[in-house]
Amino acid sequence: MVLETIRLFFSRIPADLLEKLNQTYQNASVRQVVRGQVKHIRDSNPKEIEALRQEANDQLPTIAELKRVSAVDPEFRMENSFFGPKPVITARIINRSTLPLSEASWNAALYINGDVQPVATSKVRSDFRSIEGLKPEHHVTARFTVGFVKGDKAWTTLAIRQATSTRVELEMIPETAMDFTDKAYLSADLQKRIDFLENQLKQASEFEDV
């Protein structure tokens, strides 16, 4: 039973971390490595989780401001190009926030024939630097080619091309919003890191008795 538990422990560790463990626990037994790593996780993860939660809480006002940047009246159409059908999205980007933007990316989702589930999703990017940035209380008409020059094949299927109706939604990704110095307003996805650390703690508890 102990042997199987140890095998399970090491099976969950990425190759690059295994190398670090070898350097940290030189000449240690397998059981010592497991116990040392479990102790490290139980000691350090709660502190990091607490710090990340505080940072995430501090960012809430900024996130609220960024949610005031929206894509209004988005439309989808298929255009002909040298490479074949090209999916294009147009929308009016309105900055109702107090934050000037140089860049931002959006989650795009395409719906056809009144379906409630999207048939295609992608990320598209706004670069406002060519218009001297998107200032507060300003707006701009944006045009996105999904998939760049050749177009994303997932957005040019026959089902999409023959659809009786289409609807596209654009939602800005807050972590991608940049200020006029090209610096992100937010840290990376903190919740993703918190979830990872909490999962590590949960897994560590499974190996306490090794």
Side-chain angles (χ1 to χ4, degrees):
M1 182 65 180
V2 172
L3 181 59
E4 288 300 318
T5 303
I6 290 174
R7 285 176 177 171
L8 179 61
F9 175 85
F10 283 100
S11 70
R12 294 179 177 177
I13 299 177
D16 58 338
L17 182 54
L18 279 175
E19 180 61 31
K20 291 181 181 178
L21 289 179
N22 288 334
Q23 296 174 4
T24 303
Y25 302 99
Q26 293 183 18
N27 303 318
S29 68
V30 172
R31 181 171 291 183
Q32 288 173 326
V33 172
V34 174
R35 288 177 174 175
Q37 189 62 13
V38 166
K39 183 180 186 303
H40 172 73
I41 289 172
R42 293 180 67 85
D43 288 346
S44 63
N45 282 32
K47 297 175 184 177
E48 185 176 351
I49 290 170
E50 183 180 359
L52 289 171
R53 283 178 175 162
Q54 182 59 53
E55 186 178 353
N57 188 64
D58 292 343
Q59 290 186 159
L60 290 178
T62 303
I63 292 174
E65 278 299 303
L66 290 172
K67 285 183 177 180
R68 299 177 65 191
V69 181
S70 59
V72 179
D73 300 327
E75 294 184 356
F76 172 80
R77 66 175 179 270
M78 202 79 70
E79 296 182 353
N80 293 321
S81 72
F82 176 80
F83 298 103
K86 181 171 66 175
V88 173
I89 299 171
T90 57
R92 190 159 56 101
I93 309 300
I94 303 177
N95 185 2
R96 296 187 178 94
S97 78
T98 60
L99 306 175
L101 299 174
S102 64
E103 295 181 63
S105 293
W106 306 76
N107 284 320
L110 178 65
Y111 303 79
I112 62 173
N113 303 328
D115 291 345
V116 296
Q117 295 295 327
V119 293
T121 59
S122 187
K123 287 183 174 59
V124 293
R125 177 172 166 268
S126 293
D127 188 343
F128 304 115
R129 291 173 296 182
S130 62
I131 59 169
E132 300 303 315
L134 185 60
K135 300 177 180 67
E137 302 304 327
H138 283 62
H139 63 85
V140 63
T141 299
R143 171 189 166 94
F144 307 98
T145 298
V146 185
F148 302 103
V149 178
K150 293 185 178 181
D152 187 331
K153 290 183 178 180
W155 287 66
T156 61
T157 64
L158 288 176
I160 293 173
R161 288 151 62 182
Q162 297 176 9
T164 56
S165 65
T166 61
R167 176 173 60 88
V168 65
E169 293 182 353
L170 291 172
E171 182 179 1
M172 194 180 75
I173 305 169
E175 293 79 15
T176 66
M178 304 282 190
D179 64 17
F180 275 15
T181 66
D182 293 336
K183 180 182 177 181
Y185 279 109
L186 301 173
S187 302
D189 191 343
L190 298 177
Q191 189 58 50
K192 185 176 180 180
R193 176 64 179 171
I194 291 171
D195 291 343
F196 171 78
L197 293 171
E198 288 181 335
N199 187 53
Q200 267 196 336
L201 272 174
K202 182 180 177 181
Q203 290 181 352
S205 66
E206 300 175 17
F207 303 103
E208 285 181 311
D209 299 327
V210 170

